[in-house]
Amino acid sequence: MKLSQMPYEHIDLDKVKAFFEQLIADSKNAASDEEQFELHKKYYEFMGDVSTNIRLGRFRHDIDTSEEFYSKENEYIDEIGPVISNLNNEYSKVLFESPYRAYLEEKISKVAFKNIELANKSIDEKILPLMQEENALISKYDKLIASAKIPFNGEELNISLLRKYLTDKDRDTRKRAWKALSEYFLSVTDQIDDIYDQLVKNRTKQAKKLGYDNYVELGYNRMMRNAYRRAEVENFRKQVKESFVPFVVKIQQERKEQIGVEELKYYDNDMFFKDGNPAPTGTPEEIMKAGQQMYAELSPETKEFFDFMIENELFDVLGRKTKKAGGYMDFLPKYKSPIIFANFNGTSGDVDVITHECGHAFQGYVTRNDEITEHNNLTMETAEIHSMSMEYFTYGWMDRFFGDRSQDYLKMHLQDSITFIPYGCMVDEFQHIVYDNPDMTPAERKNVWKELEKTYRPWLDFDGDPFFSEGGFWQKQGHIFWQPFYYIDYVLASVVAMEFKVWMDKDFNEAWKHYLQLCNLSAKDFYENELAEAGLESPFKADTVKNLVEELKKKI
Ligand SMILES: [Zn+2]
């Protein structure tokens, strides 16, 4: 069915409550394992409809935030969301304590039950007021960032409009743009420090009330870290320091020559070429057309997927004034359809929608007939493998998007992806230090970041900038505020995607076959088991990172 024709239904919360009440009672009284699983299937169907309406309502609001009906629906969904989560949680406890647990684990997966355990350790009625306060603090940060009015070239720009000047091919322009950004952050840095200080203290209080020593362990549980914990992550970061950092230092040397400067400054950081970073050559329609041809040639599975997306008009990618910023993929269980939201703006980011977001959507599409909903409760380090690997699997088609600058694009993509690895680890280590020491002052936190910069990005020269050189950079990284310890996921996924890159360069078909296998595994098994099954090395294993860097060196 076409996205525009999918009927939307206002969710009747009383009906939802009544459904769960009945379901919980029936489940507690189930007379056999099969009976309990049959009841669980009713839950799939009911929640499939509910979440389809929630996602459709949000999507229609996002594509036109000025539209009245869906604005109201969106507010309503904000309101009922926590209530429905709570009902879900209550029901999951019944499953967890079921006498037929072994049978259910077999049917649904051990992973799902581990997740229920972690979820139950993460929430309790007594911390609800703190959680509400936490949400309010996050919104306060978001509003502050979104409402930025930055004077530049006689105009007042928000951060997203300023962004294109940060990578302007004219060095003086981008220097002024970074200066303007720095001045903005300097003007609000005390406010951001205050918000973050409250967030750290709030989260620490939540952890203590739940019986944890500090927030780190609780943060891991909230991220559904069901297969690895702090020790593994620490070991991974150590490997990155040893292997990736010296490699990235060399790449920076090369980038310096590419952009033709004597000394690399922070305002050169996202620049890759003297004549500017490559941008797609075609119109949005041409980009979509090229995408369709590309997926038709890549594999029968991707052809079927992309044709389905086009035929059912499941993309909304053109930038419009009243559209929400950003881009994402979602999935509508009732119609077994992925949907993609984006704002094309003429940069290489438009092509990321066709590669990265479509990688997520493709995975949703290949597992769309799996009746066990829990199989698709992907944790982020896994979900991002699907998308980031697709960026590499589509390398061979980039001339369709970037014309004669396709080689530049590929070089930029690889250099950028590699350079990201130490940065992502730095964001992660920073947060561990912060939540281990919740009583640090804002100045001490900035010092921590400043020190980490020396370890993870020793090449970066902030040129004495009063905001960036004083350990302020993290204040523009939203994830640090939204969801602690969410960020290393991108790094872990990126490492595995690079493994695929190395593999496909040796044997494209073999690599593709295993990629498909990994997509089909969804979240049926634990992270490292799935990697092993798909023939990939776990990033936590000794030497994985080192060996990967050796392989990548041959490509740069
Ligand atoms: Zn993604």
Side-chain angles (χ1 to χ4, degrees), residues 120-183:
N120 284 331
K121 282 190 200 163
S122 306
I123 192 163
D124 191 283
E125 207 133 1
K126 64 186 171 206
I127 59 164
L128 287 183
L130 282 169
M131 290 175 80
Q132 279 159 344
E133 188 192 272
E134 180 188 9
N135 285 339
L137 287 165
I138 296 169
S139 300
K140 204 169 157 191
Y141 169 79
D142 283 342
K143 268 194 197 131
L144 189 69
I145 297 296
S147 65
K149 288 194 179 76
I150 304 175
F152 190 74
N153 281 359
E155 277 183 286
E156 267 196 342
L157 306 177
N158 61 25
I159 293 177
S160 72
L161 287 170
L162 182 71
R163 197 157 289 145
K164 70 172 178 189
Y165 298 107
L166 298 175
T167 55
D168 198 284
K169 68 178 171 185
D170 176 56
R171 199 179 193 205
D172 182 58
T173 303
R174 64 180 187 261
K175 183 178 175 179
R176 285 190 297 110
W178 275 95
K179 204 83 230 146
L181 186 68
S182 161
E183 272 161 22

Side-chain angles (χ1 to χ4, degrees), residues 356 360 384 387:
H356 184 101
H360 287 302
E384 291 300 324
S387 53

Side-chain angles (χ1 to χ4, degrees), residues 312-491:
N312 295 294
E313 297 168 4
L314 301 172
F315 288 99
D316 196 307
V317 296
L318 298 184
R320 285 187 302 272
K321 256 202 172 136
T322 57
K323 214 171 171 178
K324 195 183 158 183
Y328 61 81
M329 167 267 169
D330 212 340
F331 186 82
L332 305 177
K334 189 171 182 177
Y335 306 105
K336 298 181 177 182
S337 294
I339 49 177
I340 288 182
F341 173 92
N343 280 281
F344 275 14
N345 62 3
T347 69
S348 63
D350 299 355
V351 179
D352 297 341
V353 176
I354 302 299
T355 57
H356 184 101
E357 296 307 331
C358 281
H360 287 302
F362 176 66
Q363 194 278 331
Y365 184 80
V366 296
T367 57
R368 72 195 180 287
N369 290 319
D370 189 342
E371 65 163 348
I372 310 295
T373 310
E374 291 87 348
H375 287 172
N376 259 320
N377 290 341
L378 300 163
T379 35
M380 297 309 297
E381 82 292 307
T382 304
E384 291 300 324
I385 302 175
H386 308 136
S387 53
M388 289 177 158
S389 303
M390 191 64 100
E391 296 174 27
Y392 293 114
F393 279 110
T394 52
Y395 259 30
W397 286 267
M398 287 302 114
D399 56 329
R400 316 270 175 96
F401 301 96
F402 294 97
D404 58 10
R405 293 207 67 195
S406 68
Q407 285 312 313
D408 283 353
Y409 171 75
L410 295 180
K411 193 171 204 174
M412 170 173 91
H413 183 273
L414 195 58
Q415 289 182 336
D416 192 31
S417 305
I418 293 169
T419 304
F420 171 74
I421 303 283
Y423 174 70
C425 286
M426 173 164 64
V427 169
D428 187 63
E429 186 166 342
F430 174 70
Q431 298 184 83
H432 280 81
I433 298 171
V434 165
Y435 288 102
D436 273 343
N437 304 284
D439 294 325
M440 271 194 301
T441 63
E444 284 169 333
R445 287 188 196 114
K446 280 182 170 143
N447 256 326
V448 168
W449 183 270
K450 205 171 150 181
E451 286 304 308
L452 289 170
E453 289 272 15
K454 290 182 200 156
T455 309
Y456 284 106
R457 304 201 288 184
W459 64 88
L460 207 51
D461 176 1
F462 285 114
D463 212 18
D465 178 87
F467 176 71
F468 291 116
S469 72
E470 293 306 316
F473 197 96
W474 60 274
Q475 297 202 329
K476 69 186 198 70
Q477 189 64 59
H479 302 73
I480 291 175
F481 299 82
W482 304 324
Q483 177 81 276
F485 309 115
Y486 168 31
Y487 209 65
I488 197 72
D489 300 68
Y490 290 112
V491 187

Side-chain angles (χ1 to χ4, degrees), residues 98-117:
S98 162
Y100 313 117
R101 165 91 173 260
Y103 178 84
L104 293 171
E105 279 197 9
E106 192 59 42
K107 282 274 183 195
I108 300 169
S109 81
K110 286 195 164 35
V111 181
F113 280 85
K114 185 73 197 169
N115 288 348
I116 295 175
E117 188 193 322

